[in-house]
Amino acid sequence: HVQLVESGGGSVQTGGSLRLSCVASGHTKDNYYMAWFRQTPGKEREGVAAIDSDGRTTYVESVKGRFTISRDSAKSTVYLEMSSLKPEDTAMYYCAAAPPTAAMQVLAKDSYKYWGQGTQVTVS
């Protein structure tokens, strides 16, 4: 079993920056895909960014050039650096992890087995 704990959320003004962190513990594997999702009330959980064990990244179009996902395997931590934040970025942000599979859709929530509890980001 894998436990994920997010931190770093908060309230920020439009144009500001935040860095989210997600620490993994338990039976973690360095080859796992790690990802960040976000969700607002009444909407589907949306994949924001994903990173594989080799550092290859994938982003949803709306955050390209503004968000950066990275991982520190030695610390079992994945980060999401967010800049030029917009009100539409307001959401609960979730960390997710999963072993890689063939033809994996890395920004699809059904691809991920392990989830954190979320951290709220509010942009006003």
Side-chain angles (χ1 to χ4, degrees):
H1 191 65
V2 174
Q3 294 85 41
L4 303 172
V5 178
E6 304 97 334
S7 62
S11 297
V12 65
Q13 292 188 332
T14 298
S17 301
L18 281 174
R19 186 176 83 157
L20 305 183
S21 299
C22 171
V23 178
S25 61
H27 295 104
T28 57
K29 302 290 185 183
D30 288 343
N31 69 330
Y32 274 26
Y33 260 94
M34 301 293 295
W36 287 95
F37 286 73
R38 63 186 179 187
Q39 189 171 23
T40 54
K43 291 191 175 181
E44 288 288 317
R45 191 167 294 190
E46 173 190 42
V48 175
I51 187 168
D52 71 6
S53 58
D54 293 323
R56 286 184 290 256
T57 58
T58 305
Y59 298 93
V60 68
E61 190 65 33
S62 62
V63 307
K64 285 181 180 178
R66 300 189 300 121
F67 290 12
T68 302
I69 188 171
S70 62
R71 67 193 294 169
D72 184 337
S73 295
K75 296 181 179 180
S76 298
T77 301
V78 63
Y79 303 98
L80 187 67
E81 298 269 3
M82 305 185 294
S83 62
S84 301
L85 283 161
K86 305 174 181 180
E88 50 264 44
D89 295 318
T90 295
M92 185 71 79
Y93 282 72
Y94 296 90
C95 178
T101 59
M104 182 175 178
Q105 296 186 51
V106 299
L107 293 182
K109 64 181 187 300
D110 292 342
S111 295
Y112 291 85
K113 181 176 182 179
Y114 302 107
W115 293 88
Q117 294 299 306
T119 185
Q120 177 68 37
V121 172
T122 303
V123 185
S124 60

